[in-house]
Amino acid sequence: MPYQAPTHTVERSLRATTGAKIVAGVDEVGRGAWAGPVTVCAAVTGLRRPPEGLTDSKLITPKRRTVLAVELESWVTAHALGHASHEEIDELGMTAALRLAAVRALEGLPVRPDAVILDGKHDYLGAPWQVRTVIKGDQSCVAVAAASVIAKVRRDKMMAELGIEHADFGFAANAGYPSPVHKAALAEQGPTPYHRLSWAYLDALPQWRHLKKARSWADGNVPEIEGQLGFEF
């Protein structure tokens, strides 16, 4: 499928308007999954020409994505990953869990970036980070696209490993996202130790609904859970 190759346009703009010297691209994977962590990658690429075929990880075949991720990990100037576990997602809600994972990734970089390009329209990172949100940044921005591919491949591998003892759920193929195999196993066997138990899919499973976790926050406000997919999806 033809696509527009990502560029350094946003990074150049940030450098020119803010004086930033180090700009990190940030993207997440796992937001809409029913099981496993949410994973964020922060990547610093500089202004070099990217490897051929780089784009949003979802637009790349699994085989090519795996090969490209290896190439990217040696091509980028620096990268780091951060994860927020399914328990942290249940406890904090997705928005706060995303921020936790993103901060872990950014703080894992060898040098603190002066600015961050964040994929999407919502700034879940916030102060003290200087953030520029870009809708479909994983298609248009080199650093974000690189982060997208690395995060996707790393989390997919993690989910495949977690799924070894739960083969019926097909985590190696669906990475914890809802699929017919995943849904069938969930209805029959109930959640694995890696499922997010505060999520709405349990409402449609009367035999397992008693396992649902009611979340509470100190301020009494329930934050949004972005990307939840109902069982009927």
Side-chain angles (χ1 to χ4, degrees):
M1 178 182 294
Y3 66 91
Q4 188 71 33
T7 70
H8 295 293
T9 300
V10 177
E11 183 171 341
R12 291 182 189 278
S13 172
L14 277 170
R15 288 169 175 252
T17 59
T18 70
K21 295 182 179 179
I22 300 174
V23 179
V26 170
D27 198 17
E28 55 76 24
V29 63
R31 181 185 307 204
W34 289 356
V38 63
T39 296
V40 173
C41 180
V44 178
T45 65
L47 300 176
R48 293 171 298 147
R49 182 175 181 176
E52 187 69 27
L54 177 63
T55 187
D56 173 11
S57 64
K58 298 184 291 297
L59 302 179
I60 307 173
T61 65
K63 182 178 180 180
R64 173 56 184 154
R65 191 165 56 218
T66 300
V67 172
L68 183 58
V70 173
E71 185 176 355
L72 285 169
E73 288 187 17
S74 60
W75 174 80
V76 297
T77 303
H79 77 281
L81 287 108
H83 310 278
S85 68
H86 60 285
E87 295 101 336
E88 289 171 325
I89 293 168
D90 283 337
E91 179 183 354
L92 302 172
M94 181 53 76
T95 300
L98 277 170
R99 184 177 194 279
L100 183 63
V103 169
R104 286 169 174 167
L106 288 165
E107 291 183 344
L109 292 171
V111 180
R112 183 182 178 93
D114 303 309
V116 174
I117 305 172
L118 187 63
D119 181 52
K121 63 180 179 180
H122 299 297
D123 178 7
Y124 57 76
L125 191 54
W129 304 94
Q130 181 167 261
V131 176
R132 173 79 59 85
T133 58
V134 179
I135 296 173
K136 294 187 177 180
D138 48 9
Q139 295 182 36
S140 61
C141 302
V142 170
V144 180
S148 168
V149 172
I150 295 171
K152 173 65 174 168
V153 171
R154 287 289 195 94
R155 186 181 181 278
D156 281 359
K157 181 179 179 182
M158 182 186 306
M159 290 305 299
E161 292 171 350
L162 292 179
I164 291 174
E165 296 181 359
H166 305 279
D168 292 344
F169 288 80
F171 286 167
N174 60 50
Y177 284 82
S179 69
V181 168
H182 186 171
K183 292 179 181 180
L186 187 60
E188 181 179 348
Q189 301 178 32
T192 70
Y194 309 111
H195 274 86
R196 303 169 186 179
L197 298 181
S198 61
W199 280 44
Y201 68 82
L202 281 173
D203 293 336
L205 298 170
Q207 68 274 44
W208 307 112
R209 194 179 298 156
H210 65 284
L211 298 175
K212 187 173 182 181
K213 289 186 177 180
R215 293 166 302 149
S216 61
W217 289 267
D219 59 6
N221 295 319
V222 180
E224 62 183 311
I225 300 184
E226 301 170 3
Q228 278 206 36
L229 302 178
F231 197 79
E232 72 284 356
F233 183 81

